[in-house]
């Protein structure tokens, strides 16, 4: 029995020695080894042999990027408005030794430093700008944390503001302001639409007036051209008629026909003269119609013989 107990104890001792001696470090992790309470070395990924009972793994660190939630806090803006802000901090351990001995709890320290830096940056700007200056605030927080965390073996990669929550009264005021801004834009859009409509109507009326005036001008031009053509045709027809009358007079028997036509017109006009009024004007030589016709015929003969010169004056019949 004693031998069995010794064997069991020996096996347990061997297992403990192996456990204390052989260590496997996973990928993207680092183990800090101390020998008799003093820093010995940092173990990287892989298999390692330690001196049992002298060396021990004091700290284990993940070298991956870690996201740390920064609790929400109340910040006072430059215009004395209290707002509640929370964020997310991204960090990575670069030096396992510094992270082990530089600070007790770097997660807590980084979170607290992010909060204090955020309060400082929010106090420099007004409430309205906090929504617009998120990138600037994030950059300032990262810059401050990067400088402070360098002795801790940390690298602050990113900081993002998650939520900005102003007081309810401020939210109501912002909502009213946004509603008023939307109404203003709506009114502006409506007025611009009405203005464009009026401009289009005026432009249409202008084009219509131009087209009407052009149509009137074209109609007047066409009418004038028509009248000119009418006058030209009438003059041509009159000249042609006069030429034909002159040719007919010069033909055999033409003179007699003219004398007969003159006599007929003389009698007709004298008859009309008696119808137009109570006073009757009677020529002195009323019975001598043939003499009157002969006198007119003589005038025509004189015009024909003298050519285009001025015609001989005709003594009008004496009226009683």
């Amino acid at each position: 029995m004693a031998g069995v107990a010794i064997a069991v104890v020996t096996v347990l001792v061997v297992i403990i020695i192996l456990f204390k001696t052989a260590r496997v470090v996973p990928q993207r992790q680092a183990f800090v080894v101390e020998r008799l309470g003093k820093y010995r070395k940092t173990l990287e990924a892989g298999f390692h042999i330690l001196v049992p009972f002298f060396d021990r793994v004091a700290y284990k660190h993940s070298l991956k990027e870690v996201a740390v939630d920064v609790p929400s806090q109340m910040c006072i803006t430059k215009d004395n408005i209290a707002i509640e802000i929370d964020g997310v901090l991204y960090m990575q351990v670069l030096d396992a030794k510094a992270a082990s001995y530089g600070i007790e709890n770097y997660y807590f320290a980084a979170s607290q430093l992010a909060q204090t830096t955020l309060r400082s940056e929010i106090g420099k700007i007004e409430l309205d700008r906090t929504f617009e200056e998120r990138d600037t605030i994030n950059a300032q927080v990262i810059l401050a944390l990067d400088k402070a965390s360098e002795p801790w073996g940390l690298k602050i990669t990113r900081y993002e503001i998650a939520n900005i929550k102003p007081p309810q009264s401020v939210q109501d005021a912002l909502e009213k302001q946004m509603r008023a801004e939307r109404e203003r834009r709506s009114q502006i859009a409506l007025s611009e639409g009405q203005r464009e409509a009026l401009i289009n109507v005026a432009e249409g009326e202008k084009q219509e007036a131009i087209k009407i005036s052009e149509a009137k001008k074209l109609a007047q031009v066409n009418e004038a051209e028509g009248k000119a053509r009418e006058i030209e045709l009438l003059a041509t027809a009159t000249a042609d008629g006069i030429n034909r009358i002159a040719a007919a007079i010069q033909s055999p028997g033409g003179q007699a026909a003219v004398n007969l036509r003159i006599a007929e017109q003389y009698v007709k006009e004298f008859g009309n003269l008696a119808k137009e009024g109570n006073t009757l004007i009677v020529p002195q030589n009323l019975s001598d119609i043939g003499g009157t016709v002969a006198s007119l015929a003589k005038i025509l003969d004189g015009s024909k013989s003298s050519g285009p010169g001025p015609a001989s004056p005709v003594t009008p019949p004496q009226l009683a």
Side-chain angles (χ1 to χ4, degrees):
M1 292 293 295
V4 175
I6 293 172
V8 172
V9 172
T10 302
V11 172
L12 291 176
V13 171
V14 171
I15 292 174
I16 292 173
I17 290 173
L18 290 175
F19 181 76
K20 294 288 185 179
T21 302
R23 285 298 177 93
V24 177
V25 180
Q27 184 67 29
R28 298 296 294 171
Q29 289 192 12
F31 290 179
V32 176
V33 177
E34 292 180 351
R35 175 171 291 180
L36 300 177
K38 185 179 179 180
Y39 172 75
R40 176 72 176 83
K41 62 181 179 180
T42 300
L43 302 181
E44 297 179 352
F47 179 78
H48 301 274
I49 300 297
L50 302 179
V51 178
F53 304 107
F54 289 93
D55 294 340
R56 73 180 184 91
V57 176
Y59 300 97
K60 296 180 180 180
H61 298 284
S62 174
L63 303 181
K64 300 177 182 179
E65 187 175 3
V66 180
V68 179
D69 184 37
V70 179
S72 61
Q73 60 176 334
M74 297 301 296
C75 301
I76 306 299
T77 62
K78 188 177 180 180
D79 49 355
N80 297 322
I81 302 298
I83 57 177
E84 185 178 354
I85 302 179
D86 61 352
V88 180
L89 183 64
Y90 296 86
M91 66 179 70
Q92 183 180 7
V93 175
L94 299 181
D95 188 349
K97 179 183 177 182
S100 300
Y101 302 104
I103 193 169
E104 180 67 26
N105 187 341
Y106 55 81
Y107 290 113
F108 177 77
S111 177
Q112 291 298 312
L113 184 56
Q115 286 184 319
T116 56
T117 306
L118 181 62
R119 284 196 298 267
S120 176
E121 293 299 324
I122 292 297
K124 298 177 183 179
I125 58 178
E126 291 82 6
L127 175 63
D128 293 341
R129 293 181 55 197
T130 56
F131 301 97
E132 305 172 1
E133 301 291 338
R134 285 195 177 193
D135 293 338
T136 304
I137 296 172
N138 293 337
Q140 293 299 325
V141 173
I142 293 173
L143 182 62
L145 288 174
D146 220 16
K147 291 181 179 179
S149 62
E150 185 175 356
W152 306 339
L154 301 178
K155 174 64 178 177
I156 306 301
T157 56
R158 292 190 303 277
Y159 176 79
E160 297 292 339
I161 294 177
N163 296 303
I164 299 177
K165 185 178 180 181
Q168 188 61 40
S169 59
V170 176
Q171 293 184 25
D172 295 339
L174 292 176
E175 185 177 356
K176 291 180 181 178
Q177 183 179 358
M178 293 174 60
R179 188 183 304 113
E181 181 66 19
R182 288 194 296 268
E183 291 178 356
R184 184 182 69 86
R185 292 180 181 178
S186 176
Q187 292 296 329
I188 291 175
L190 180 61
S191 63
E192 289 180 353
Q194 292 177 349
R195 184 186 67 177
E196 291 295 330
L198 293 176
I199 290 175
N200 291 335
V201 171
E203 186 67 23
E205 292 178 351
K206 173 184 174 183
Q207 294 297 328
E208 182 182 4
I210 291 174
K211 295 297 183 181
I212 292 175
S213 63
E214 289 179 353
K216 289 183 178 179
K217 181 181 74 173
L218 184 61
Q220 292 175 354
V221 170
N222 292 336
E223 185 178 357
E225 291 178 353
K227 290 182 178 180
R229 182 61 178 170
E230 179 184 1
I231 293 173
E232 180 181 0
L233 293 176
L234 182 61
T236 301
T238 303
D240 187 51
I242 292 174
N243 290 332
R244 291 184 179 182
I245 291 174
I249 292 175
Q250 293 177 0
S251 63
Q255 185 65 42
V258 169
N259 293 339
L260 179 60
R261 185 62 176 171
I262 290 173
E264 290 178 354
Q265 291 293 326
Y266 181 82
V267 174
K268 180 179 179 180
E269 293 300 329
F270 184 78
N272 292 332
L273 183 64
K275 296 178 181 179
E276 293 179 358
N278 296 326
T279 304
L280 180 63
I281 301 174
V282 180
Q284 184 177 1
N285 53 350
L286 178 61
S287 59
D288 191 8
I289 296 177
T292 302
V293 173
S295 299
L296 294 175
K298 186 177 181 181
I299 293 173
L300 292 176
D301 290 339
S303 299
K304 180 173 63 176
S305 61
S306 61
S312 301
V314 178
T315 302
Q318 296 181 0
L319 302 179

